[in-house]
Amino acid sequence: MTEPPLNSDRIPRHIAIIMDGNGRWAQARGISRNEGHKKGLEALRSVIRSANDLGVRWLTLYAFSLENWNRPKLEVASLMGLLERYLEIEIDEVMEKGIRLRSIGRPDRLPKRLQKKVDQAIERTQNNPNMTLVFALSYGGRSEIVDAARKLLRDAELGKIDPESLDEKTFAAYLYDPEVPDPDLLIRTGAELRVSNFLLWQIAYTEIYSTDVMWPDFGERELIDAVRDYQSRERRFGLTSEQVRGARDDSR
Ligand code: FPP
């Protein structure tokens, strides 16, 4: 049976992805976890291309969590190496496709050389007009909220902000990159049903899609399946179905 085509008017503006399952993918094939991560890097390249082609405006990838620092040293080094390789090899294609790079997280623990490469890539691509690709690197959702609160308290001490006037919008302006809109769709591969400390503030009303596909096997077709599933949902943001339909009719 052929699947219905995607509705080009309802492509999620921002997709966030928890890329899970490299290790299990490798284990099932009797190869090393690092080989799984290498295959994962290929999947990452293909999904970036496909998302940009679909017209997604923002793509946030959970590349390395704060908790990932506790993995074996060799695995951490291999992941850092892969990211560096991505930045070296792909930067020309990223430029050619007009993709803009950003990163969120606590960069101070990243190797200096990698930090420099990330900064250079962000600077080089800053005026690109197409999709913005956000790497969550050395990232934790709770830490992001704590870091925002710290900056906010400092500003309150300096008298720049009145605690009584604090609201959600003001708070969100203190997150790592306030320009990034909340994700419309969060995809998690690797058959897990957790958010794993990812974008905790931003996913309040995000649609969540989980798939059994392990990240190295996730490609354009799987991305389209996730978007199709998203398009079948009704986003109510706490309203009733009737209210949402009424608002849609009013805007016609
Ligand atoms: C999860 O697999 C994946 C990661 C730890 C990060 C994502 C890494 C890549 C896509 C490879 C490219 C690297 C970078 C940093 C861009 P897992 O090891 O947790 O899988 P498992 O749950 O099956 O063990």
Side-chain angles (χ1 to χ4, degrees):
M1 207 178 74
T2 50
E3 301 283 359
L6 290 181
N7 175 354
S8 56
D9 293 336
R10 272 202 73 197
I11 298 296
R13 189 157 80 110
H14 181 183
I15 298 181
I17 309 185
I18 301 176
M19 308 178 286
D20 194 15
N22 294 348
R24 279 163 291 159
W25 184 92
Q27 197 180 23
R29 285 158 183 78
I31 55 179
S32 70
R33 294 180 58 82
N34 286 347
E35 288 302 315
H37 292 318
K38 273 193 206 157
K39 267 308 252 193
L41 183 64
E42 283 174 32
L44 175 143
R45 292 160 66 180
S46 125
V47 165
I48 292 169
R49 242 175 257 142
S50 307
N52 189 45
D53 290 347
L54 276 180
V56 171
R57 299 299 304 162
W58 301 81
L59 178 69
T60 301
L61 300 176
Y62 207 179
F64 195 85
S65 71
L66 278 177
E67 291 75 20
N68 287 156
W69 286 116
N70 300 322
R71 290 198 174 192
K73 262 199 175 123
L74 269 178
E75 185 169 342
V76 170
S78 153
L79 284 165
M80 296 296 136
L82 282 176
L83 185 68
E84 207 177 314
R85 217 168 81 197
Y86 171 81
L87 293 173
E88 274 163 16
I89 300 175
E90 290 294 292
I91 192 71
D92 289 337
E93 186 180 333
V94 164
M95 281 306 288
E96 198 184 299
K97 297 216 178 281
I99 296 172
R100 182 168 69 147
L101 285 187
R102 295 276 183 91
S103 78
I104 52 173
R106 286 182 174 169
D108 42 307
R109 275 179 84 179
L110 295 175
K112 288 277 164 298
R113 220 175 57 184
L114 176 60
Q115 241 184 76
K116 207 169 143 199
K117 286 226 164 82
V118 173
D119 291 344
Q120 284 169 344
I122 292 173
E123 203 186 307
R124 192 167 159 207
T125 60
Q126 64 181 330
N127 295 319
N128 285 352
N130 296 331
M131 184 176 81
T132 302
L133 170 61
V134 185
F135 278 113
L137 265 184
S138 190
Y139 175 88
R142 285 186 174 175
S143 297
E144 177 172 29
I145 294 171
V146 169
D147 289 350
R150 186 180 300 111
K151 283 184 264 171
L152 192 107
L153 286 170
R154 281 202 201 111
D155 277 356
E157 243 172 27
L158 294 172
K160 287 191 195 164
I161 183 161
D162 166 18
E164 294 313 314
S165 72
L166 184 64
D167 57 15
E168 290 179 13
K169 197 164 164 242
T170 319
F171 188 87
Y174 285 86
L175 296 171
Y176 289 139
D177 190 340
E179 217 196 305
V180 184
D182 290 348
D184 301 293
L185 173 63
L186 170 66
I187 298 174
R188 178 167 193 147
T189 63
E192 305 286 0
L193 295 170
R194 287 190 287 276
V195 292
S196 297
N197 202 14
F198 190 38
L199 303 176
L200 295 183
W201 174 277
Q202 295 89 335
I203 60 171
Y205 282 102
T206 297
E207 297 295 327
I208 300 181
Y209 176 87
S210 167
T211 169
D212 292 349
V213 174
M214 298 292 145
W215 177 251
D217 288 330
F218 194 89
E220 181 174 31
R221 211 186 57 184
E222 289 71 21
L223 181 69
I224 290 175
D225 285 346
V227 171
R228 186 176 292 113
D229 187 273
Y230 166 85
Q231 293 190 340
S232 73
R233 311 215 191 155
E234 180 182 63
R235 301 188 74 192
R236 291 201 291 273
F237 300 97
L239 301 178
T240 67
S241 215
E242 290 70 28
Q243 283 176 303
V244 172
R245 281 194 224 120
R248 229 183 276 144
D249 292 343
D250 289 348
S251 71
R252 280 201 185 117

